[in-house]
Amino acid sequence: MYKIDIVSKKDGPVIDQRLHGQFIEFLGTCISDGIWVGEDSSIPNIHGIRKDVVDALARIAPPVVRWPGGCYADTYHWRNGIGGKAERPVTYNNNFGTQSLEYNHFGTHEFVEFCRLIGAEPWININMLSGTVAEMQDWAEYCNRESGTTLAKLREKNGSGEPFNVRYWGIGNESWAGGGNYTAKGYAGEYRKYASAFPRFGRGMPLPDSDEGMKLIAVGPDGNKPKERVQWTKGFFKALSKYRQPPIYGYDLHFYNWNVRHPADTVVKFSKEDWDRVIEGAQELEEVILEQYALVQEGLSLMPQPESSFMPVPACELIVGEWGNWHRFDPAAPSALWQQATMRDAVTTAITLDIFHRHSDKVAMACAAQTVNVLNSLILTQGENTILTPNFHVFEMYKPHRNATALACAVTEGNEGTVFAFASKKEGILYLNMVNTSYDEAVTVDMHFDCNLSYISGRRLEGEPADCNTVEHPEAVKPEDAPVPEGREENWSAILPKASVTVYQFQMI
Ligand code: AHR
């Protein structure tokens, strides 16, 4: 028996919708085939962008999408991706074993159109490794300068008189590894240069808390390296605290739930032990967020107080720009880092979103890695077929939490680490989600609230632990209406099946 206590009368932070962000990269078939099929494809498309993928993503309307990488960003030259498609240079993509020609048909215009079609804001990651400061400046000018300059005119010639107004710009990617093997101090030096050189747009100064300033995002640590991540964050902020500070909006931590050391665990075939290990692994992110948030605050406290009002006030949001399960390489996968997604991945996706929601006062934005055909995907494509994974359904079921007020919600009785719950409220409706992470046992939960409620509706995703959606069975796992919980007013009770995610909506009376 489990007991969950939910306090509705004390408001927590508002859940930033950007915690439901996405990440797409020129890797495997994430973009080629997964998003971009080209205007001449027999697969229905909107100006070359896969229509079924657009339709699916528009349902969850990701608030933000990060592109073009990842590691690929450090090889990407934006000029290759503008102008007539036939004239665009053909490059070679060997990112994470992709091994294919890259025709550069999905460039800046196509990315911005994709974002608009699905209701997302673009986050562009610049090339800090093989690019230059000038290349970054030109890219920003091309995207955001309203009119008049040669680059603004070029954008107009290429189809967009209107500026793209891209606000989020990542300065480098994983600079502690493939992004340059920098030291934290060395990267901070580069960050200073790039951030200082970033063009100004709009009327105001690029203050971090001003909507008129660009939101520049620095490379945060490898969340999977307990020692290095502390050193990186301390080192970066220490270096940044010297003398004057460049503009900075965010600090991008990456965390993957690695599951590569167990040969018998094959993504779609695994034991209870494998299941438990992966479920536990996903929970580590909570500790990493708490640690890194504290380190960022400590780092900001080192900054000298500005001596003039034109200097930026030290502030910096914690962002998780890449997260997801990373299973062992599958030789049968149709493309690089292609992974099936089972109920195990859906449960860890739910746990991860719960962590973000619980700490929405500490994390501002997060991007699932990656949206289509790579790692913890929401969508898998195979030829003309498009499959929504159980992960997609979790994102859709959790959508009501966006911009809602987080509530205190604790599992106060029962085995630790089996049932997870999170609650929020918005416009008189209380949303409660519960995740039963048990591989093989249903559990009974008693829900106790501090206010009277009436039941509105509920959705549930459940299945056998390794259940997944395939071309043959695209709807093997899909949410259904949840059985109505028993109870009234402040006390309710329900049975949560094994390996399940449930979201209830109650009217607050
Ligand atoms: O998401 C796949 C890769 O993982 C990204 O390119 C890189 O940033 C990370 O190491």
Side-chain angles (χ1 to χ4, degrees):
M1 173 73 82
Y2 287 79
K3 187 166 173 243
I4 301 177
D5 280 305
I6 302 107
V7 181
S8 71
K9 292 189 178 138
K10 194 163 167 256
D11 291 359
V14 171
I15 296 159
D16 198 316
Q17 60 167 351
R18 297 171 304 166
L19 293 168
H20 289 214
Q22 298 294 325
F23 169 40
I24 62 168
E25 180 173 17
F26 291 97
L27 200 173
T29 50
C30 176
I31 292 176
S32 309
D33 291 351
I35 293 171
W36 180 257
V37 288
E39 291 94 333
D40 300 334
S41 172
S42 59
I43 296 172
N45 64 83
I46 306 165
H47 303 143
I49 303 170
R50 247 188 122 115
K51 187 171 177 319
D52 48 10
V53 169
V54 163
D55 290 345
L57 288 174
R59 266 164 63 183
I60 57 167
V64 64
V65 178
R66 177 171 179 252
W67 169 87
C71 291
Y72 193 83
D74 274 326
T75 66
Y76 186 69
H77 299 286
W78 69 272
R79 280 192 169 85
N80 291 345
I82 58 166
K85 303 247 172 20
E87 286 80 54
R88 296 190 191 180
V90 179
T91 49
Y92 197 75
N93 184 347
N94 59 10
N95 189 26
F96 277 97
T98 300
Q99 308 296 4
S100 66
L101 293 174
E102 176 50 62
Y103 293 92
N104 287 297
H105 288 180
F106 188 85
T108 305
H109 288 255
E110 292 76 18
F111 170 58
V112 170
E113 181 173 12
F114 170 68
C115 287
R116 288 185 181 156
L117 288 169
I118 63 173
E121 223 189 306
W123 163 355
I124 289 182
N125 225 87
I126 65 118
N127 178 347
M128 206 186 86
L129 188 64
S130 61
T132 61
V133 169
E135 193 178 351
M136 172 198 74
Q137 287 176 318
D138 287 353
W139 200 359
E141 287 289 344
Y142 184 84
C143 288
N144 289 358
R145 186 64 61 202
E146 214 171 344
S147 58
T149 64
T150 302
L151 283 167
K153 286 181 186 160
L154 182 58
R155 184 192 64 233
E156 189 171 358
K157 183 169 159 245
N158 288 335
S160 185
E162 289 298 307
F164 295 144
N165 294 327
V166 178
R167 287 194 307 159
Y168 299 109
W169 293 86
I171 309 296
N173 177 71
E174 300 193 346
S175 304
W176 27 263
N181 285 305
Y182 281 98
T183 61
K185 189 176 170 195
Y187 169 72
E190 284 296 280
Y191 179 83
R192 281 177 176 279
K193 189 166 71 183
Y194 276 78
S196 303
F198 204 89
R200 313 297 194 233
F201 301 98
R203 286 174 289 114
M205 290 291 288
L207 298 177
D209 52 358
S210 146
D211 265 356
E212 299 213 357
M214 294 296 102
K215 297 188 181 298
L216 305 184
I217 299 169
V219 170
D222 180 349
N224 297 96
K225 304 268 183 309
K227 284 190 200 142
E228 187 192 277
R229 69 181 184 231
V230 171
Q231 286 163 0
W232 181 269
T233 303
K234 283 190 169 180
F236 174 75
F237 282 98
K238 187 171 171 207
L240 210 67
S241 73
K242 306 285 180 217
Y243 210 59
R244 300 189 188 193
Q245 284 68 55
I248 183 167
Y249 168 74
Y251 184 65
D252 179 16
L253 152 80
H254 291 180
F255 177 87
Y256 284 100
N257 184 21
W258 289 98
N259 177 33
V260 294
R261 294 214 172 121
H262 300 267
D265 181 338
T266 62
V267 188
V268 287
K269 195 157 171 274
F270 46 81
S271 65
K272 177 178 181 330
E273 198 186 9
D274 297 325
W275 164 279
D276 288 342
R277 189 187 57 251
V278 171
I279 303 290
E280 259 177 50
Q283 294 166 51
E284 283 171 28
L285 178 57
E286 184 150 27
E287 197 187 304
V288 179
I289 286 173
L290 293 173
E291 171 204 282
Q292 288 296 315
Y293 177 77
L295 288 171
V296 171
Q297 304 319 305
E298 198 180 300
L300 290 172
S301 73
L302 302 175
M303 306 295 158
Q305 280 310 305
E307 288 189 284
S308 96
S309 52
F310 292 107
M311 287 169 78
V313 180
C316 182
E317 301 282 8
L318 183 61
I319 291 168
V320 184
E322 293 183 25
W323 65 267
N325 289 344
W326 192 314
H327 297 294
R328 195 179 170 81
F329 167 70
D330 174 4
S335 50
L337 297 191
W338 190 99
Q339 281 181 185
Q340 243 308 350
T342 64
M343 275 309 297
R344 178 169 66 169
D345 301 289
V347 164
T348 55
T349 294
I351 290 176
T352 305
L353 292 178
D354 279 357
I355 293 173
F356 294 145
H357 295 164
R358 260 200 302 283
H359 299 293
S360 43
D361 55 340
K362 300 187 176 64
V363 194
M365 186 150 88
C367 302
Q370 299 188 3
T371 314
V372 189
N373 290 341
V374 167
L375 300 173
N376 206 63
S377 310
L378 280 68
I379 295 174
L380 296 173
T381 65
Q382 266 174 278
E384 63 190 10
N385 301 296
T386 292
I387 303 150
L388 304 182
T389 71
N391 298 340
F392 176 93
H393 296 306
V394 172
F395 269 91
E396 192 170 41
M397 287 165 69
Y398 273 33
K399 214 175 151 192
H401 284 309
R402 293 186 194 170
N403 301 323
T405 301
L407 301 177
C409 174
V411 180
T412 49
E413 280 174 31
N415 292 338
E416 209 180 314
T418 302
V419 172
F420 293 86
F422 176 79
S424 71
K425 65 175 182 185
K426 190 167 54 183
E427 292 158 10
I429 297 178
L430 192 148
Y431 303 95
L432 169 67
N433 70 258
M434 293 177 291
V435 187
N436 179 7
T437 69
S438 173
Y439 180 82
D440 47 15
E441 278 179 24
V443 297
T444 302
V445 286
D446 280 347
M447 297 156 264
H448 176 73
F449 302 84
D450 63 350
C451 66
N452 289 342
L453 303 171
S454 65
Y455 183 73
I456 302 177
S457 63
R459 299 288 282 165
R460 176 169 291 161
L461 192 69
E462 63 174 306
E464 290 302 316
D467 277 358
C468 58
N469 294 331
T470 60
V471 170
E472 295 72 34
H473 303 286
E475 298 199 338
V477 185
K478 65 170 185 180
E480 307 278 359
D481 284 341
V484 180
E486 286 181 11
R488 57 200 286 264
E489 297 173 347
E490 296 187 336
N491 294 300
W492 298 80
S493 163
I495 295 172
L496 305 180
K498 69 178 182 196
S500 67
V501 181
T502 305
V503 182
Y504 288 140
Q505 300 195 15
F506 293 98
Q507 183 70 51
M508 298 170 78
I509 303 168

